[in-house]
Amino acid sequence: FAVALGDVEERDLAGTRRLTTGAIRSFGPEYVHEVRNASHAPAVTVHAYSPPLTVMNRYDLEGFRLILRAAERVEQR
């Protein structure tokens, strides 16, 4: 994914990092992360997947465990 505008905070199981406009991150199919706006100004990120995703899983982090809360399938959009 890339930060197209603003500042975001990315959190994954390894920790938290702040990313600013122009930052680019790549990762594999098993990667789980949370991205949020880290400022009061607008922020835009672009996530591009290859191959295209057919499902987007949503998790909650409870302690050190990921709990699957929802699976949004492409046909549901």
Side-chain angles (χ1 to χ4, degrees):
F1 81 98
V3 181
L5 177 71
D7 296 342
V8 298
E9 184 176 274
E10 180 193 25
R11 184 173 78 150
D12 61 22
L13 296 176
T16 303
R17 66 193 57 78
R18 191 176 184 111
L19 304 168
T20 60
T21 300
I24 298 172
R25 301 257 303 131
S26 61
F27 43 82
E30 301 299 317
Y31 189 70
V32 176
H33 71 156
E34 174 183 53
V35 178
R36 69 175 193 86
N37 190 341
S39 70
H40 296 290
V44 176
T45 62
V46 177
H47 287 66
Y49 299 93
S50 180
L53 292 180
T54 58
V55 63
M56 173 70 73
N57 292 326
R58 306 218 180 260
Y59 298 90
D60 282 339
L61 183 60
E62 293 184 5
F64 293 100
R65 293 183 50 217
L66 290 172
I67 307 298
L68 180 63
R69 295 297 180 201
E72 181 180 325
R73 302 200 178 284
V74 76
E75 60 270 8
Q76 293 174 309
R77 294 184 201 150

